[in-house]
Amino acid sequence: MEAIHRHSLRLLPLSLSLSPKHLILNPTNFSPISRPSISLKSKPFSSSSLVTKAGWLMGLGETKKKPTLPDIVKAGDPVLHEPAREIDPEEIGSDRIQKVIDDMVKVMRVAPGVGLAAPQIGIPLRIIVLEDTKEYIRYAPKDEIKAQDRRPFDLLVIVNPILRKMNNKTALFFEGCLSVDGFRAVVERSLSVEVTGLDRNGKPIKVDASGWQARILQHECDHLDGTIYVDKMVQKTFRTVENLDLPLAEGCPKLGVS
């Protein structure tokens, strides 16, 4: 689930929400690299040693490739529209599952988003991660934070989550999704939920959530059942992010607690 910001910075990843001066490279900050001279008379040399030195001078050979993160899968890929499979508790501690979790957390934070499900990086497993920080929240208008009952919470990793709605109270707010980039729509969600499952160490976990955290949990758990938010949206509210602040069409339900 995307981190939604309603003002001018809402469309930028937080890492880019800086003043232009932070994005300009100052040539005066760079000094020329002095290259050691190679004396061909000092001692015999072989063609292989010369290649090695040339490689070092050009930055080749010793450089290591940075590990690449998985891409976020976009709507239309079958993995987003089919149920994910449960994970055997004995598998959770494996290197494979731990790497999936690590990748999910990194992808979510880089995006940036407040939640991610394993199918969103192309892996049909029942894992969700979520996190909402003070940094994300401070970009949202205060009246919106209050209306959405949005509070920061630490990183949560839940394997094989089971979600239960705690009451019949619901709220309508705009949602975004990293797999449906560039669009928003109003979705009705329960105000209070309980989610049980296993943490990344395979130990039981239970989360009682309300407000915006409850919305994030429902959004991510939907992904595990092959459902994305557009399957549940109020259709006439679907819009591009550029039109997010336009008034709702006639006949659309009012935003807020219903």
Side-chain angles (χ1 to χ4, degrees):
M1 183 169 171
E2 281 186 296
I4 299 176
H5 311 300
R6 296 184 63 87
H7 52 74
S8 61
L9 294 179
R10 71 178 183 274
L11 307 184
L12 292 176
L14 297 184
S15 58
L16 296 183
S17 298
L18 303 170
S19 60
K21 67 179 181 180
H22 291 111
L23 302 179
I24 298 174
L25 294 176
N26 184 351
T28 61
N29 292 335
F30 297 90
S31 58
I33 299 173
S34 59
R35 300 189 178 186
S37 60
I38 302 174
S39 174
L40 303 184
K41 297 180 180 180
S42 58
K43 59 181 179 178
F45 64 93
S46 65
S47 59
S48 60
S49 65
L50 188 58
V51 169
T52 301
K53 289 180 180 179
W56 179 82
L57 288 171
M58 293 186 293
L60 303 176
E62 294 299 320
T63 57
K64 294 181 179 179
K65 290 184 178 179
K66 292 182 179 180
T68 56
L69 292 175
D71 292 328
I72 294 175
V73 175
K74 302 302 181 182
D77 191 305
V79 74
L80 290 176
H81 306 282
E82 299 171 350
R85 76 167 179 85
E86 284 197 3
I87 299 172
D88 186 329
E90 297 297 321
E91 288 185 78
I92 295 174
S94 68
D95 291 344
R96 183 175 72 93
I97 297 301
Q98 291 298 310
K99 171 118 181 9
V100 169
I101 293 171
D102 287 341
D103 283 348
M104 289 175 64
V105 173
K106 291 173 184 176
V107 169
M108 174 183 69
R109 288 172 173 171
V110 168
V114 293
L116 194 77
Q120 289 183 275
I121 59 170
I123 299 174
L125 297 177
R126 300 187 76 83
I127 309 173
I128 62 173
V129 299
L130 55 154
E131 176 184 56
D132 204 0
T133 68
K134 290 180 180 179
E135 182 183 11
Y136 290 176
I137 294 173
R138 73 185 176 91
Y139 284 94
K142 290 183 178 179
D143 57 342
E144 188 174 273
I145 296 170
K146 183 177 179 180
Q148 295 172 346
D149 188 17
R150 186 176 178 185
R151 301 178 299 276
F153 59 86
D154 293 333
L155 175 67
L156 285 169
V157 176
I158 309 176
V159 180
N160 298 338
I162 299 173
L163 184 144
R164 183 166 70 96
K165 298 175 183 178
M166 300 304 292
N167 53 51
N168 294 325
K169 293 182 179 179
T170 62
L172 292 120
F173 289 109
F174 276 100
E175 281 186 23
C177 181
L178 296 171
S179 293
V180 191
D181 193 30
F183 297 91
R184 301 286 187 272
V186 172
V187 181
E188 185 174 17
R189 299 283 190 187
S190 292
L191 278 175
S192 180
V193 300
E194 176 190 89
V195 177
T196 56
L198 302 173
D199 66 14
R200 69 176 303 163
N201 299 311
K203 296 181 179 180
I205 183 174
K206 183 176 86 165
V207 180
D208 293 307
S210 60
W212 202 250
Q213 185 183 25
R215 178 172 291 267
I216 298 169
L217 282 163
Q218 290 168 84
H219 181 108
E220 302 309 333
C221 285
D222 275 353
H223 275 301
L224 304 184
D225 294 327
T227 300
I228 54 180
Y229 83 93
V230 295
D231 297 321
K232 292 186 170 184
M233 69 181 178
V234 179
Q235 292 188 355
K236 288 185 178 181
T237 66
F238 187 65
R239 58 189 59 197
T240 63
V241 289
E242 292 83 4
N243 289 336
L244 184 59
D245 291 325
L246 294 181
L248 296 175
E250 186 175 345
C252 290
K254 185 179 178 181
L255 299 183
V257 178
S258 57

